[in-house]
Amino acid sequence: MNSIIKDLKYLIAGEVCHTPEILTEFSQDFGGIFQKHPQVIVRPQNVNDVVQTIKYASNKGVIISPRAAGHSLSGQSLNQDGIVLDMRSLNQIQKIDKNHLWFETEAGASWGEIVNACVPQGLVPPVLTNYFGVSVGGTHSAGGLGGASFLYGSQADNCLGIEVVTADGEIVWCSPEENSELFYHVLCGYGQFGTITKVRHKLRKSPLFTRTYVLFYDGLEALL
């Protein structure tokens, strides 16, 4: 383990953490069903840190997992004796395009941060999860469902493009038109086909007022 820590500190500009408290924090997820204990946590300062860490893990045969808010339910953001990439350090919202209705952000930004940046401009993402503390990259890796999914689909359905670091450390821009096979595999792929580092996502005009109804039904027949 000391060798891994020393190597990573030499390779990247970001933070390499291995204190017992931090490792304990990253040994469980929101689901609370599984516990796995990584060797080291890397907080990348930039996409090159992600590249270097993935290349190192690949060369050494070490398991690596991207993670942000850790809201996976069945241990998908955990690994045993490997490296966890804490993507929350890559959280800059880079552009909001009011004319073409999209935003571009680093993957570690939370949906709450996106909403706070977009709503003052009269814009909102088509689909929002019920909890805004989850990350943009995380929900694109899992799907991302919300109250508007009946109309707009999942958050992954509203993705226009993603920057991905592949298993061999290559940075690839993917969209439905460009590198489309990788695009559709990485979306909802739980980090198994590449690590999302940047997302371009649709926006829509935000209404001035909304009304939410919560309806309770006594039986299936009444609901249907």
Side-chain angles (χ1 to χ4, degrees), residues 135-158:
S135 72
V136 174
T139 59
H140 280 76
S141 294
L145 299 176
S149 288
F150 76 97
L151 183 60
Y152 295 108
S154 70
Q155 290 178 328
D157 290 321
N158 290 276

Side-chain angles (χ1 to χ4, degrees), residues 81-99:
D81 298 326
I83 300 168
V84 172
L85 278 167
D86 184 359
M87 301 298 290
R88 291 175 297 180
S89 55
L90 299 180
N91 63 356
Q92 296 303 304
I93 301 169
Q94 297 180 330
K95 186 172 183 179
I96 298 173
D97 192 321
K98 296 180 67 173
N99 296 322

Side-chain angles (χ1 to χ4, degrees), residues 112-214:
E113 291 169 325
I114 300 300
V115 168
N116 289 339
C118 292
V119 168
Q121 301 190 45
L123 303 170
V124 69
V127 178
L128 289 167
T129 51
N130 291 333
Y131 174 59
F132 286 5
V134 291
S135 72
V136 174
T139 59
H140 280 76
S141 294
L145 299 176
S149 288
F150 76 97
L151 183 60
Y152 295 108
S154 70
Q155 290 178 328
D157 290 321
N158 290 276
C159 181
L160 298 173
I162 48 176
E163 180 185 82
V164 176
V165 179
T166 63
D168 58 2
E170 184 183 1
I171 302 173
V172 182
W173 178 258
C174 310
S175 70
E177 299 78 30
E178 186 178 356
N179 299 307
S180 59
E181 185 175 7
L182 184 61
F183 177 78
Y184 288 117
H185 276 73
V186 170
L187 290 176
C188 307
Y190 281 100
Q192 300 303 298
F193 299 94
T195 298
I196 299 173
T197 52
K198 188 183 297 183
V199 172
R200 182 178 294 178
H201 190 92
K202 290 180 184 178
L203 290 169
R204 63 183 174 93
K205 298 290 185 181
S206 176
L208 293 177
F209 300 98
T210 63
R211 179 176 292 173
T212 300
Y213 294 90
V214 180

Side-chain angles (χ1 to χ4, degrees), residues 12 19 34 44 66 76 82 99 101 125 143 152 165 215-216:
I12 71 169
T19 63
F34 298 96
Q76 293 93 338
N99 296 322
L101 295 179
Y152 295 108
V165 179
L215 306 176
F216 297 93

